[in-house]
């Protein structure tokens, strides 16, 4: 078993244990169950120099009486949803494949709304230096690929591309995966500490603007337009606070559609203003490269296949032991007013 795979499995074991502890311990500090009332505060983790959809929704007034309580910045999707499963935060977001694995480990969470994806404007690309000899899947054997976190979107897409390129499981294991903070990945590529850099969103666009790198493939080229990640809540929180969850999902859905229909310059200006107002001593330059959320479904409505694809892939990889969850076990659209063509 490769070191990255062992690391992923160790993480899953830890998450399962912590999730079980959270389930038996009851709600987290932000849940109002102890007082019998509805929670109107949602603890969450943000992203340095960027504006999340819930933050945009709050600034636009789309969350109603629900207030966001920032508790720090996320280091990666799996960590974000782990924090939700253990009650450290009230919601978190991650790649759908990571959510499948956490659910398969009996974590009491449910996905409620999509928040990022890939389309012609916004996608994750796999980049090399202009003079790199890497052109196709077989060229990656023995090479290092830097990505924001292991066991999530970037790894799943990469291995899908390698498998479709004819590499055997044994050959795929020879591709070394390196976890790097997104803000450091471009620098690591330019300094030749890694051979391939996985770059997405505004970080990708800023790197391309700097020149000297080229694409070997993108997730959009491989899979077409799709929503790739969703926000989750703990099941106990949903049970006690359904109206809060509905307000959150509705607000995020409205923010998705607001950003989809506004001129890009209007969205960028709003995000820059949000970063300035929140006073976290951040560099707001990244938001100038924002293009779209990449969410496929209107208002963040989740499509069954957006989980089914990764359930099938994880099963083929041998990472789903025992119970194989169904998409309906993992997500719900019941809080989303945009489902079946509706609106908010």
């Amino acid at each position: 078993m490769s070191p990255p795979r062992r690391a992923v499995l160790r993480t899953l074991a830890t998450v399962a244990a912590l999730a079980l502890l959270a389930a038996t311990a009851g709600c987290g500090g932000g849940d109002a169950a102890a007082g019998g009332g509805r929670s109107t505060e949602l603890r969450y983790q943000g992203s340095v120099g960027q504006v999340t959809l819930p933050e945009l929704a709050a600034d636009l007034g789309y969350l109603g009486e629900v207030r966001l309580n920032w508790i720090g910045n996320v280091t990666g999707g799996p960590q974000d949803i782990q924090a939700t499963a253990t009650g450290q935060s009230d919601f978190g977001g991650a790649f759908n494949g990571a959510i499948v694995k956490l659910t398969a480990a009996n974590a009491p969470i449910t996905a409620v709304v999509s928040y990022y994806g890939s389309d012609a404007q916004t996608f994750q690309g796999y980049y090399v230096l202009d003079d790199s000899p890497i052109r196709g899947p077989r060229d990656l054997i023995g090479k290092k690929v830097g990505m924001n976190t292991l066991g999530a979107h970037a790894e799943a897409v990469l291995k899908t591309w390698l498998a479709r390129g004819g590499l055997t499981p044994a050959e795929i294991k020879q591709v070394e995966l390196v976890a790097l903070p997104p803000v450091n990945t471009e620098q690591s590529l330019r300094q030749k500490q890694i051979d391939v850099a996985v770059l997405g969103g505004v970080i990708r666009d800023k790197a391309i603007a700097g020149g000297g790198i080229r694409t070997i493939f993108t997730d959009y080229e491989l899979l077409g337009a799709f929503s790739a990640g969703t926000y989750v809540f703990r099941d106990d929180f949903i049970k006690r606070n359904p109206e809060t969850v509905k307000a959150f999902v509705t607000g995020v859905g409205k923010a998705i559609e607001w950003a989809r229909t506004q001129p890009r310059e209007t969205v960028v200006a709003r995000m820059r203003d949000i970063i300035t107002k929140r006073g976290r001593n951040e560099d707001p330059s990244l938001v100038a490269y924002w293009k779209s959320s990449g969410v496929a479904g209107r208002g963040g409505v989740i499509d069954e296949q957006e989980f089914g694809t990764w359930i099938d892939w994880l099963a083929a990889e041998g990472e789903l032991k025992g119970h194989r969850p169904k998409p309906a076990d993992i997500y719900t659209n019941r809080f989303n007013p945009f489902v079946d063509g509706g609106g908010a």
Side-chain angles (χ1 to χ4, degrees):
M1 184 181 292
S2 66
R5 178 62 54 80
R6 286 199 296 268
V8 170
L9 293 179
R10 284 197 301 269
T11 298
L12 288 175
T14 301
V15 169
L18 291 172
L20 181 60
L21 176 62
T24 56
C27 63
D31 197 332
R38 179 167 69 95
S39 174
T40 56
E41 178 184 283
L42 295 176
R43 297 164 301 148
Y44 78 104
Q45 298 185 95
S47 186
V48 178
Q50 299 180 57
V51 176
T52 67
L53 281 169
E55 289 171 332
L56 178 60
D59 192 69
L60 290 167
Y62 291 162
L63 295 184
E65 64 179 14
V66 175
R67 297 291 178 264
L68 300 179
N69 178 8
W70 175 68
I71 60 173
N73 290 315
V74 69
T75 58
Q79 181 272 331
D80 201 21
I81 58 175
Q82 176 181 333
T84 301
T86 56
Q88 297 167 3
S89 62
D90 294 316
F91 70 86
F95 166 57
N96 288 338
I99 294 171
V100 170
K101 289 194 286 188
L102 194 55
T103 302
N106 297 316
I109 58 172
T110 297
V112 295
V113 63
S114 294
Y115 75 98
Y116 87 89
S118 294
D119 59 22
Q121 294 180 303
T122 301
F123 50 84
Q124 280 202 352
Y126 294 70
Y127 293 87
V128 296
L129 296 176
D130 279 343
D131 60 358
S132 170
I134 296 174
R135 298 285 174 179
R138 193 157 295 278
D139 298 329
L140 265 69
I141 296 176
K143 299 298 192 295
K144 295 181 179 180
V145 182
M147 56 188 62
N148 69 322
T149 188
L150 304 184
H153 183 129
E155 179 179 345
V157 170
L158 174 64
K159 289 185 175 179
T160 299
W161 183 71
L162 294 173
R164 290 186 182 182
L167 272 66
T168 66
E171 289 172 329
I172 291 174
K173 289 181 180 179
Q174 295 178 51
V175 180
E176 184 178 351
L177 309 182
V178 181
L180 293 169
V183 294
N184 299 130
T185 307
E186 176 195 353
Q187 180 182 6
S188 295
L189 176 65
R190 295 190 186 280
Q191 293 179 346
K192 299 186 177 181
Q193 297 169 338
I194 56 176
D195 302 289
V196 181
V198 185
L199 303 170
V202 294
I203 291 176
R204 179 205 66 234
D205 289 343
K206 188 175 183 182
I208 291 174
I213 64 175
R214 61 176 170 83
T215 314
I216 52 174
F217 83 100
T218 73
D219 57 0
Y220 174 67
E221 292 170 346
L222 183 69
L223 301 169
F226 67 102
S227 292
T230 48
Y231 284 123
V232 304
F233 282 84
R234 293 189 318 279
D235 294 338
D236 62 341
F237 188 97
I238 293 174
K239 184 177 180 180
R240 281 186 283 265
N241 303 283
E243 292 303 316
T244 300
V245 176
K246 184 176 181 178
F248 173 85
V249 172
T250 299
V252 168
K254 291 173 70 174
I256 290 170
E257 294 309 309
W258 180 86
R260 201 194 303 271
T261 57
Q262 295 294 312
R264 192 183 74 84
E265 294 76 13
T266 299
V267 180
V268 168
R270 190 87 183 211
M271 289 181 168
R272 186 182 291 111
D273 184 57
I274 291 171
I275 290 175
T276 300
K277 288 189 299 184
R278 68 192 185 192
R280 299 178 192 169
N281 194 29
E282 301 163 279
D283 178 3
S285 63
L286 279 179
V287 299
Y289 297 91
W290 181 92
K291 292 181 179 178
S292 75
S293 69
V295 173
R298 186 167 178 266
V301 171
I302 303 168
D303 184 271
E304 179 177 315
Q305 198 55 37
E306 290 163 355
F307 279 101
T309 295
W310 305 115
I311 291 173
D312 293 342
W313 181 80
L314 289 165
E317 287 284 297
E319 293 201 26
L320 296 181
K321 307 298 183 182
H323 172 64
R324 173 173 170 163
K326 299 177 181 178
D329 300 330
I330 303 171
Y331 80 93
T332 181
N333 281 319
R334 71 185 178 95
F335 298 106
N336 199 323
F338 291 92
V339 73
D340 296 327

